[in-house]
């Protein structure tokens, strides 16, 4: 009886221990079950999720909200699909339209990748929480540090310079060498500016506030508006207006003029590269990021690596933009623009000043 009683006491002590062991084993088994991709490590230094695309199993489909759809760059996506077997669903629209769609859809968005023009759109997307930070060895190799967000929220695809453009028939060579020259009284009533609703203008003024300070930038905007500029809806329309004699001096992204000159080398408008003895010409970006909540992050990063590779970048610059990848030269028809001194937009400082820039433009009647 004593022995039997002892065995019972031993069994009573053993059962809880066995239960604990079983719980631990089952927990380990659940956490180790294949099928769920483990979370990628975070890179030291505040960068985003480190993704290794070597030997990945591609997702069958990527949905891309493509704000560059009107730039004719679909071929690079077709080539990625051919190389990987991934079906790319391109959904086009302007940068602001696609941003609004992403914020409206929230976590229910089908989008995996967001491609847009202009830092203003990228910054708004980052601030709204619709992007997630990612990085990879290949992205860092292909895109210099000043052309991507420090946390990997966006990576540049191209750069574009917003510069004065002038009539070659009515403006003497060397008459415009600074942004301030758009306020020269001789151009009063003879300047053109794109509407303040343009994200390109908003980013330009925000970057000026960040670098020149609010007082100097306000004085500059006021001086431009004192010259009674014609407000134009698009850069292309502005170039046509200058060529037709409607104004003599404007402000446009360089690639609009590059495309026009590729078709008509005799087009009577030229860039007037500003501040070449100072900061240089304001350089904005188009860029790409991974949408928050995407369940195809490695494949999305693989697409971003493809878009920033030399072959894809060479196709992007055919439309007169400058490559974000510094190993890719500009196309032959604007090869002599390659040595222009540029002032890259300061995304971290200019982004938060977009609303201030808009308010400043509206204050002086820049509608």
């Amino acid at each position: 009886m004593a022995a039997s009683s002892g065995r019972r006491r031993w069994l009573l002590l053993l059962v809880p221990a066995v239960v604990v062991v079983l719980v631990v084993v089952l927990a380990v088994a659940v956490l180790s079950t294949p099928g769920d991709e483990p979370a990628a490590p975070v890179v030291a230094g505040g960068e985003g999720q480190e993704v290794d695309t070597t030997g990945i199993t591609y997702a069958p489909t990527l949905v891309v909200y493509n704000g560059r759809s009107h730039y004719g760059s679909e071929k690079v996506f077709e080539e990625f699909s051919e190389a990987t077997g991934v079906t790319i669903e391109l959904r086009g629209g302007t940068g602001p339209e696609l941003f609004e769609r992403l914020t409206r859809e929230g976590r229910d968005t089908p989008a995996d990748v967001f491609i847009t023009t202009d830092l203003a759109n990228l910054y708004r997307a980052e601030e709204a929480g619709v992007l997630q930070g990612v990085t990879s060895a290949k992205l860092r190799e292909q895109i210099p540090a000043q052309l991507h967000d420090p946390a990997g929220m966006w990576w540049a695809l191209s750069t574009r310079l917003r510069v004065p453009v002038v009539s070659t028939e009515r403006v003497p060579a060397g008459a415009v060498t600074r942004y301030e020259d758009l306020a020269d009284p001789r151009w009063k009533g003879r300047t053109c500016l794109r509407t303040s609703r343009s994200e390109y203008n908003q980013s330009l003024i925000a970057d000026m506030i960040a670098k020149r300070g609010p007082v100097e930038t306000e004085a500059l905007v006021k001086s431009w508006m004192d010259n009674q500029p014609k407000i134009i809806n698009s850069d292309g329309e502005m170039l046509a207006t200058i060529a037709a004699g409607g104004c003599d001096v404007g402000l446009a992204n360089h690639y609009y003029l590059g495309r026009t000159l590729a078709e008509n080398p005799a087009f009577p408008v030229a860039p007037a590269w500003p501040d070449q003895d100072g900061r240089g010409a304001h350089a904005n970006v188009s860029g790409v990021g991974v949408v928050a909540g995407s369940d195809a992050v490695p494949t999305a990063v693989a697409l971003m690596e493809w878009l920033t590779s030399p072959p894809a970048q060479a196709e992007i610059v055919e439309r007169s933009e400058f490559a974000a990848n510094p190993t890719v030269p500009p196309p032959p028809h604007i090869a002599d623009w390659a040595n222009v001194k540029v002032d890259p937009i300061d995304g971290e400082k200019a982004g938060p000043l977009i609303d201030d820039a808009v308010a400043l433009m509206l204050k002086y009647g820049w509608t």
Side-chain angles (χ1 to χ4, degrees), residues 162 192-202 230-235 237-238 251 361-362 365-367:
R162 191 145 192 84
C192 288
L193 291 175
R194 187 169 175 173
T195 172
S196 62
R197 293 187 298 275
S198 163
E199 58 264 35
Y200 305 131
N201 284 336
Q202 293 172 8
K230 295 179 180 178
I231 303 301
I232 305 292
N233 287 325
S234 72
D235 285 12
E237 180 185 348
M238 180 188 304
L251 193 64
M361 291 188 281
L362 294 176
W366 189 348
T367 57

Side-chain angles (χ1 to χ4, degrees), residues 48-61:
Q49 175 179 307
E50 179 78 29
V51 178
D52 183 359
T53 58
T54 305
I56 68 168
T57 300
Y58 292 103
T61 303

Side-chain angles (χ1 to χ4, degrees), residues 99-117:
F99 166 70
E100 291 297 330
R101 188 186 305 178
L102 280 172
T103 54
R104 184 173 63 252
E105 292 169 342
R107 290 287 175 168
D108 293 328
T109 182
D112 299 295
V113 176
F114 178 48
I115 296 174
T116 190
T117 56

Side-chain angles (χ1 to χ4, degrees), residues 276-318:
Q276 293 302 286
D277 58 352
R279 287 191 178 92
H282 168 80
N284 206 327
V285 300
S286 69
V288 59
V290 177
V291 176
S294 169
D295 58 1
V297 172
T299 304
V301 171
L303 174 62
M304 291 165 61
E305 293 174 345
W306 181 277
L307 293 174
T308 55
S309 67
Q313 289 277 289
E315 292 183 21
I316 287 175
V317 303
E318 286 180 359

Side-chain angles (χ1 to χ4, degrees), residues 15 36 45 72 104 124 183 190-191 197 225 240 247 272 281 287 322 339:
V15 168
D36 291 330
R104 184 173 63 252
R124 288 179 177 128
R190 301 297 299 166
T191 62
R197 293 187 298 275
M225 298 311 297
C247 58
F322 293 126
N339 296 322

